[in-house]
Amino acid sequence: QQQVKQSPQSLIVQKGGISIINCAYENTAFDYFPWYQQFPGKGPALLIAIRPDVSEKKEGRFTISFNKSAKQFSLHIMDSQPGDSATYFCAATAGNNRKLIWGLGTSLAVNP
Amino acid sequence: DTEVTQTPKHLVMGMTNKKSLKCEQHMGHRAMYWYKQKAKKPPELMFVYSYEKLSINESVPSRFSPECPNSSLLNLHLHALQPEDSALYLCASSQGTGPKPLHFGNGTRLTVT
């Protein structure tokens, strides 16, 4: 049972374009939603995270949008660059639970 | 470079071998994790140590044995592994209690022959 559904599985964007990755969840107890970026041969690295008390969080070119009523959250990468080519994972967790529930990942390729 | 260091980077072992994976962090984090990651899949949680005590074991087979000698070190002892155990093994750490960012190492690429 996939508790966090992530789409699309893969994404190709032109340099300068906007990359959008979507995630949906069912468990209303989730209260922390991080996004991780993973390059080939490397471990995942936290990109940005949000809690459900805000609808949007922006860090540089990366923005998380959060829709609590729809139980959805998304990552927007503005002005996408070839260096953004990586796999992106959304995740969720609840309270003091140290177990992250991960989406299946999105492989992003940004063409020069 | 990450602040979580894992050694070795690559490991090839036979099914009768005993080997250990090592992880070290000096960020003062008191929670440390082992994850297993197969190609094109998200990381799967194996173990969590909190304040040097095992707090979560995700029903991992006993051929994987974790150890936390001190707050900076985490080991994963491997014995009698199967070829399907071949994967990237990731160590991570986090600060304090509650949902905190995980800091991952770059992993050990394990191949079981």
Side-chain angles (χ1 to χ4, degrees):
Chain A
Q1 182 184 2
Q2 187 62 34
Q3 295 187 48
V4 177
K5 294 184 179 180
Q6 184 172 346
S7 62
Q9 184 177 354
S10 62
L11 181 61
I12 300 174
V13 172
Q14 292 300 118
K15 179 182 175 181
I18 302 173
S19 304
I20 302 174
I21 304 171
N22 300 300
C23 287
Y25 64 97
E26 289 296 324
N27 187 346
T28 55
F30 287 152
D31 62 359
Y32 177 69
F33 303 88
W35 285 87
Y36 283 84
Q37 178 189 54
Q38 186 174 24
F39 293 104
K42 303 291 186 182
L46 179 71
L47 194 60
I48 187 171
I50 198 168
R51 293 183 184 268
D53 52 345
V54 297
S55 60
E56 186 175 281
K57 183 174 180 180
K58 184 175 180 180
E59 290 185 5
R61 296 184 293 110
F62 301 91
T63 299
I64 298 180
S65 297
F66 187 84
N67 186 328
K68 188 174 181 178
S69 60
K71 292 185 285 185
Q72 295 175 347
F73 58 111
S74 60
L75 176 69
H76 295 233
I77 305 174
M78 311 300 289
D79 187 26
S80 299
Q81 298 297 312
D84 297 329
S85 298
T87 299
Y88 293 81
F89 294 98
C90 64
T93 190
N96 285 331
N97 189 333
R98 294 188 182 279
K99 181 175 180 179
L100 277 176
I101 307 301
W102 297 75
L104 292 181
T106 296
S107 178
L108 171 66
V110 181
N111 290 333
Chain B
D1 289 343
T2 69
E3 297 176 74
V4 177
T5 303
Q6 291 188 244
T7 55
K9 287 184 169 50
H10 302 274
L11 179 62
V12 179
M13 61 185 291
M15 289 189 284
T16 58
N17 291 159
K18 285 185 182 181
K19 296 287 185 184
S20 296
L21 309 184
K22 298 187 181 300
C23 174
E24 188 169 6
Q25 59 88 13
H26 293 289
M27 295 178 281
H29 291 173
R30 301 312 297 269
M32 296 187 76
Y33 309 72
W34 281 114
Y35 279 86
K36 172 183 177 180
Q37 187 177 30
K38 290 279 202 179
K40 300 188 186 302
K41 299 290 187 186
E44 298 173 46
L45 183 63
M46 300 175 71
F47 303 103
V48 180
Y49 274 84
S50 180
Y51 292 85
E52 298 155 52
K53 292 189 190 322
L54 184 64
S55 62
I56 295 177
N57 176 340
E58 288 288 297
S59 303
V60 178
S62 60
R63 59 185 184 269
F64 296 92
S65 175
E67 177 195 21
C68 189
N70 61 54
S71 59
S72 300
L73 293 174
L74 188 65
N75 299 321
L76 186 63
H77 303 297
L78 314 172
H79 173 55
L81 295 193
Q82 303 298 309
E84 59 265 29
D85 296 321
S86 298
L88 181 68
Y89 287 84
L90 293 161
C91 173
S93 68
S94 69
Q95 185 178 40
T97 58
K100 300 289 185 185
L102 293 177
H103 296 255
F104 283 90
N106 286 328
T108 293
R109 175 71 61 188
L110 175 67
T111 302
V112 182
T113 61

